[in-house]
Amino acid sequence: MPTPDSSDSCAHAFADHHIHGLAGVDFATSSTAEVRSALALLKSRRTTEVTASIPTVQRGHVQAMLDRLAPVFDDGLLTGVHFEGPFIAPEFAGAHPHQAILSPTEPAGQAFLGTLLAQHRAKPLVTMMTVAPELEGFATLVELLVSHGIDPALGHTNATYEQMRDGIEVVYQLTGRPVTITHLYNAMRGFHHREPGPLLAVFEAVEHKTVKVELIADGYHVHPSVISWWFEKYPESIRLVSDASAATLPSGCKPLSVALPMLGMAPLQYPKTAGPMLADGCTMASGARDLLAVHDALVAGGLDHETVCAAMRARHTA
Ligand SMILES: [Zn+2]
Ligand SMILES: [Zn+2]
């Protein structure tokens, strides 16, 4: 069997807009120097444009996290910061800590937002926040985010079909740009013919080009046939993301830190058989491959490499 060829004639640079870290480094908690080393590793693996994803964390950690990332952003090595939470559905938290999940209308939620936006006004690092559209106060929250230049993405959600449909419409009307769906299929209801859930709303929106769909094509999060189906039907609506974490270790790479791999506050396990897990060993915690490994696996699986690259291409390079 041929080995995946990462040194093929295709030399496109990749953009990863949902990635928590790599090779022992967690963008939320590692030092600035460690973050720089992870970004250098990513660059050597053709991911030149990175949005650092912060999982759901407690308010007390927000300022220090943004302070650690600010110098890297100032040097042009980070495109921005993505907050995945805390305004998400507890029923679909995935690896995010339940105790840190908030409602936008409760005082603790308001306080979190106050801290985040005060930091953001001082230094506008934050580019995206994943929110669940069914939450009370959703419309006010997304209006506030957009007024600060932060794109609301929809995901980690218990939304019904109607709630997702309306949520997409609200955000699209505010931004005029396709709305990012955070890792479609993962951390949301599945499809049922009597309760079609968020998936039907996303499929309809794809037809109207009002969504951009994140897919984690690491071989574990979404069945390869589903990935192929998307590439066949709606390649222009896909944004491939790694959702990698400190416990994601590209083959042949050693951890860049001796510390336990973390996802924000949550300790992780390096993969044994499947992808990275929470330290409890039973919750899938992040993507198993960086974008170069995703690219190589998809191309080895028969997808056209130009089409694959178009779904992860960096803006600033050819
Ligand atoms: Zn997630
Ligand atoms: Zn994530």
Side-chain angles (χ1 to χ4, degrees):
M1 199 175 123
T3 50
D5 183 10
S6 58
S7 58
D8 58 12
S9 57
C10 157
H12 298 303
F14 306 141
D16 197 345
H17 294 299
H18 188 159
I19 175 167
H20 297 273
L22 195 73
V25 176
D26 175 35
F27 293 148
T29 53
S30 294
S31 69
T32 305
E34 287 173 325
V35 169
R36 285 183 192 280
S37 68
L39 292 172
L41 174 60
L42 281 163
K43 191 174 178 192
S44 75
R45 296 177 55 77
R46 289 169 45 188
T47 296
T48 59
E49 199 176 308
V50 172
T51 299
S53 294
I54 305 290
T56 296
V57 292
Q58 277 152 349
R59 180 169 70 101
H61 299 285
V62 168
Q63 187 171 345
M65 287 173 179
L66 291 175
D67 285 347
R68 277 193 296 272
L69 295 173
V72 189
F73 178 80
D74 287 342
D75 290 347
L77 300 173
L78 271 188
T79 306
V81 175
H82 160 221
F83 273 78
E84 194 172 12
F87 305 118
I88 58 174
E91 302 89 340
F92 288 93
H96 297 254
H98 278 252
Q99 71 274 18
I101 291 174
L102 299 171
S103 153
T105 52
E106 67 177 310
Q110 293 283 312
F112 184 97
L113 208 51
T115 299
L116 181 73
L117 294 180
Q119 273 286 110
H120 183 72
R121 279 191 289 268
K123 183 175 276 289
L125 289 180
V126 185
T127 46
M128 183 164 71
M129 178 184 266
T130 296
V131 296
E134 73 277 15
L135 296 181
E136 192 191 341
F138 169 79
T140 309
L141 170 64
V142 293
E143 206 178 323
L144 190 61
L145 292 175
V146 171
S147 74
H148 284 79
I150 301 170
D151 278 336
L154 304 183
H156 280 276
T157 172
N158 190 25
T160 61
Y161 160 68
E162 290 82 1
Q163 287 167 329
M164 191 65 153
R165 182 194 62 194
D166 295 351
I168 291 167
E169 184 60 21
V170 165
V171 178
Y172 184 72
Q173 289 303 329
L174 286 170
T175 66
R177 292 191 303 280
V179 181
T180 299
I181 305 299
T182 296
H183 46 55
L184 185 70
Y185 300 108
N186 301 112
M188 62 182 67
R189 294 183 191 202
F191 179 85
H192 188 278
H193 56 284
R194 281 192 288 272
E195 173 43 72
L199 293 179
L200 182 60
V202 171
F203 294 146
E204 289 177 350
V206 163
E207 292 284 344
H208 295 109
K209 297 186 166 43
T210 55
V211 287
K212 193 90 178 168
V213 170
E214 286 185 1
L215 291 172
I216 308 173
D218 67 349
Y220 299 107
H221 280 76
V222 182
H223 193 282
S225 299
V226 177
I227 301 288
S228 298
W229 184 88
W230 273 93
F231 272 104
E232 198 177 304
K233 300 289 183 192
Y234 302 107
E236 71 290 343
S237 294
I238 301 171
R239 180 190 282 168
L240 290 171
V241 294
S242 70
D243 201 10
S245 73
T248 307
L249 202 52
S251 69
C253 294
K254 290 195 168 61
L256 299 165
S257 166
V258 292
L260 195 67
M262 300 291 288
L263 180 66
M265 303 297 113
L268 302 175
Q269 279 183 3
Y270 283 109
K272 294 193 176 79
T273 49
M277 296 276 179
L278 287 186
D280 66 12
C282 40
T283 308
M284 201 156 45
S286 61
R289 295 175 178 150
D290 74 340
L291 285 186
L292 180 60
V294 166
H295 166 276
D296 291 352
L298 293 182
V299 172
L303 289 176
D304 170 60
H305 80 81
E306 284 292 341
T307 316
V308 169
C309 288
M312 54 167 91
R313 185 168 303 175
R315 274 173 305 203
H316 306 303
T317 48

